[in-house]
Amino acid sequence: DQELCEGVYGRIITLKSDFEPLIIFQSELFFANKEMSKDIIDPMFRLLERYSSSEFSSDVYSSIIRYFKSNGDTQKEASTYKEYTDQINNDPSILNQYAWRMTEIGVNFEDALAKSSLAIELSADNLPLKSYIIDTKAELLWLLGRTQEAVEIINIAIEIDPNSEYFKEQKDKFQDSIKE
């Protein structure tokens, strides 16, 4: 219920000292998202400024990125995503999500490649995640025209998960482009 949430979150913001920082942040995020749904994005950017060095910044960045994506503004989406991964560069999943999204919208390939390499290092103990990050790196290499490297990299993903039909299809796609 939007009205109930608005009332509760409004009360929390009014009585800030009585609540934990997470509850206050969630209340502020609620209202910033509400404004953003009306295409008023400044409150979200002010929230990002206020929480830029806290664990809450991920939620703010994610909201802004979703906003730009839903509006088809790939330029602002890409630049915000890059800024996000420049700030939060120790989470292999976030780095991989950024790198993959850049393959979809066709920008920042070199930066995405560097961040996918970092994500691979960070995911050393998680082989399933690592294999998907390796796939992202292979896709980037392929898009950069470095097809032979892409084949070599996707082979590593196939070694990790030899039953993955998707990885095998990726390898075929890369190899087929060499023949053309």
Side-chain angles (χ1 to χ4, degrees), residues 123-134 160-161 167:
S123 66
D125 296 337
N126 183 341
L127 289 180
L129 175 61
K130 185 176 182 176
S131 67
Y132 283 97
I133 298 170
I134 290 170
I160 293 171
D161 185 359
F167 294 155

Side-chain angles (χ1 to χ4, degrees), residues 17-35:
S17 62
D18 295 344
F19 294 95
E20 296 292 319
L22 174 61
I23 302 297
I24 295 167
F25 166 74
Q26 289 173 331
S27 300
E28 292 172 332
L29 184 63
F30 170 83
F31 285 109
N33 273 315
K34 183 177 180 202
E35 291 298 300

Side-chain angles (χ1 to χ4, degrees), residues 107-167:
V107 297
N108 296 347
F109 289 163
E110 292 293 341
D111 184 62
L113 182 61
K115 288 178 178 165
S116 68
S117 294
L118 175 59
I120 290 167
E121 290 174 33
L122 293 169
S123 66
D125 296 337
N126 183 341
L127 289 180
L129 175 61
K130 185 176 182 176
S131 67
Y132 283 97
I133 298 170
I134 290 170
D135 168 60
T136 299
K137 182 176 181 175
E139 183 78 11
L140 285 160
L141 289 166
W142 180 69
L143 289 168
L144 287 165
R146 296 162 57 182
T147 308
Q148 192 56 48
E149 287 177 78
V151 171
E152 292 167 13
I153 294 296
I154 200 66
N155 280 335
I156 297 169
I158 291 169
E159 286 175 23
I160 293 171
D161 185 359
N163 296 321
S164 172
E165 288 302 314
Y166 172 74
F167 294 155

Side-chain angles (χ1 to χ4, degrees), residues 53-80:
S53 60
S54 84
E55 73 231 48
F56 304 136
S57 66
S58 285
D59 292 329
V60 181
Y61 273 115
S62 294
S63 291
I64 294 169
I65 290 165
R66 275 192 309 275
Y67 172 79
F68 288 137
K69 183 178 181 180
S70 70
N71 287 323
D73 192 337
T74 56
Q75 183 179 5
K76 287 183 181 173
E77 177 191 357
S79 66
T80 304

